[in-house]
Amino acid sequence: MSALAAVAVAVQELDADQRAALDACVVAALALSSCEGEARGRARLLMECHGRYVQSFGVLDPAPAFTVFLQRLRGGRVADLLPRRPRQSVLGELRLLGADGTPSSALNRMAVEAAEHGHQAPGIGADIRHLYSLLRAVGMLPEGAGLSRISGETVQHAVFRALRAAGFEAYTQGRETMVRTPVLKRRELSRNAALTELGAYVGISPTRQFSGMWAACPMCEWTMRATYRTDGSVDLECEDERHSLLGARYRAEPIANGWHLVPRGELRTVPELVPVEGRVALPYALWLWVTMPGLLEIELRDRLVALGAQVRLWPFGDAYDLHITTAGSSERWCVDVKTWADPYGLAQALREAPEGPGQLCFVVPEHLRGYLPVLRRGVLGTDARVLTDTDLVAEVRRA
């Protein structure tokens, strides 16, 4: 199971007060780690976060004082920050910030999923406000309403419904564009009417650029997070935990005529530094919930076609992700890809399906194989199955 998948489950298990405390901690941690905005505004936001944090503890369980709160955010474990400390939880290992104030890989995701206060988070707040505007524009979020927590299912449903209104060809083209090219030149975007009308792409966030430049993760092509260091260098790292672990980490060092990128991981591929001017990118939530799962969907399509299978992407009005048949067999696979492997999200999807999951194959990435038992419990009593992408490819090869 990936760390972020386990965190998503652990957050769902918190009670309302613990979630309120967590949301306050997440926004405060981003305020501490960001240089965006003026110092006085960040100080006001930190005090407001502490006020919400104190309120979540109630009268009988006093919260830490403001200075202690800030100290514990730096390097402290999330579980230790919450009222009635959750036991035997992965939150006991998770830190929002390193001791040096460096944000963790989970921090931005938790800010996007946070309650209505998440839009105040420095660095990613503009992304969250854009997401709320997009959801309102497509009728998923009435004016003045908020979401208690934003889910990947909600974001996908809103974006895909809006694209489908332009027709299936425009839908398929738009969705594949968001997967393959999460950063576009403005003139390229203007040639795609459906994406332009949707308003999915925005200016590149200040937290993912430096000196007017940005660099793409070699694996997903999205903008890597930029973190300034005291020695004048800048750390660049993909927001995806797995991509970072596989080597999508670099250090930009200043040289006489610009910057020099040095790999910090085992990945030797060094991306190009590109000017911010004239380019637009998907915001964090759309990269997380459209680009990232789409990468596996398209990769699976390509692998299976190479085996001789016939594969349709997003068939029957996007009833599921892949429809697979082979010439030598009457067997078929109706595949729904789940890259974040959240059993609660899966259970919700099953409940919302008018006729249940039928014979769907829910497919998760191979690196989430350890999560199969809990996911399979979510489809007990149905004809649905849960397997990894490796399992699926092996089944199609044998057919």
Side-chain angles (χ1 to χ4, degrees):
M1 183 194 313
S2 76
L4 287 183
V7 168
V9 175
V11 170
Q12 292 284 357
E13 293 173 346
L14 298 177
D15 63 33
D17 288 336
Q18 290 171 328
R19 287 194 198 179
L22 177 60
D23 290 350
C25 289
V26 165
V27 176
L30 281 162
L32 283 175
S33 64
S34 174
C35 58
E36 189 171 321
E38 47 98 17
R40 185 176 299 177
R42 291 202 305 275
R44 283 197 301 268
L45 178 56
L46 284 168
M47 287 187 283
E48 182 180 341
C49 287
H50 183 251
R52 297 199 298 266
Y53 181 69
V54 169
Q55 188 176 11
S56 71
F57 275 73
V59 178
L60 300 178
D61 187 13
F66 181 67
T67 54
V68 177
F69 171 64
L70 298 186
Q71 290 169 359
R72 291 184 181 177
L73 283 173
R74 294 182 183 273
R77 294 179 175 86
V78 170
D80 295 333
L81 290 163
L82 304 182
R84 299 175 301 284
R85 185 189 190 282
R87 304 293 177 186
Q88 298 179 333
S89 169
V90 296
L91 300 179
E93 302 300 323
L94 178 70
R95 291 172 171 82
L96 299 176
L97 299 173
D100 61 352
T102 305
S104 72
S105 60
L107 186 54
N108 276 355
R109 175 165 180 169
M110 297 178 80
V112 169
E113 293 175 339
E116 64 271 14
H117 302 295
H119 72 275
Q120 299 172 289
I124 201 170
D127 281 4
I128 297 172
R129 288 191 293 274
H130 171 262
L131 176 62
Y132 273 59
S133 297
L134 188 151
L135 291 174
R136 289 192 182 99
V138 298
M140 291 294 292
L141 189 64
E143 191 67 38
L147 294 176
S148 57
R149 297 195 76 80
I150 299 175
S151 73
E153 296 285 350
T154 299
V155 173
Q156 284 188 354
H157 179 59
V159 171
F160 298 159
R161 186 179 73 170
L163 286 177
R164 278 198 299 273
F168 184 72
E169 184 178 349
Y171 166 77
T172 304
Q173 180 189 6
R175 184 167 174 181
E176 191 157 352
T177 296
M178 294 173 75
V179 174
R180 292 189 181 276
T181 50
V183 183
L184 287 171
K185 292 180 180 178
R186 288 186 183 274
R187 64 175 179 271
E188 292 173 343
L189 176 63
S190 67
R191 291 195 284 266
N192 190 312
L195 287 178
T196 300
E197 185 175 350
L198 178 62
Y201 286 77
V202 293
I204 294 175
S205 167
T207 62
R208 291 186 285 277
Q209 59 172 280
F210 64 100
S211 296
M213 310 292 286
W214 66 278
C217 166
M219 298 177 192
C220 64
E221 299 296 326
W222 195 57
T223 51
M224 289 189 286
R225 182 176 67 240
T227 305
Y228 284 88
R229 295 298 181 184
T230 55
D231 62 0
S233 65
V234 180
D235 283 347
L236 299 174
E237 184 172 3
C238 183
E239 297 280 6
D240 181 72
E241 176 189 39
R242 186 163 177 264
H243 290 181
S244 175
L245 290 173
L246 288 173
R249 307 190 308 274
Y250 303 88
R251 176 156 293 166
E253 298 176 346
I255 56 176
N257 59 345
W259 296 84
H260 174 60
L261 284 189
V262 179
R264 293 192 295 128
E266 295 184 6
L267 190 64
R268 296 295 97 184
T269 303
V270 177
E272 179 186 2
L273 283 175
V274 183
V276 170
E277 185 66 28
R279 285 173 170 80
V280 288
L282 293 179
Y284 178 86
L286 296 187
W287 163 81
L288 177 66
W289 287 316
V290 176
T291 302
M292 291 305 293
L295 288 173
L296 181 56
E297 293 161 6
I298 290 174
E299 179 196 341
L300 266 174
R301 188 267 312 270
D302 294 345
R303 288 163 67 188
L304 295 170
V305 167
L307 293 176
Q310 292 80 50
V311 185
R312 291 172 60 191
L313 272 175
W314 313 309
F316 309 115
D318 195 28
Y320 43 91
D321 296 321
L322 301 168
H323 185 85
I324 306 161
T325 57
T326 60
S329 171
S330 60
E331 192 170 359
R332 65 172 184 155
W333 293 262
C334 305
V335 173
D336 202 4
V337 176
K338 299 293 183 185
T339 55
W340 57 88
D342 174 5
Y344 294 94
L346 179 54
Q348 181 180 355
L350 296 179
R351 286 196 301 270
E352 291 176 352
E355 299 177 0
Q359 295 181 326
L360 277 179
C361 293
F362 292 98
V363 172
V364 299
E366 177 62 29
H367 67 272
L368 295 181
R369 177 174 290 278
Y371 215 11
L372 289 181
V374 67
L375 287 171
R376 284 171 174 161
R377 287 198 293 272
V379 297
L380 282 177
T382 75
D383 293 326
R385 297 187 298 147
V386 184
L387 57 161
T388 71
D389 59 319
T390 303
D391 297 334
L392 175 66
V393 171
E395 281 191 13
V396 175
R397 181 183 286 114
R398 290 193 298 266

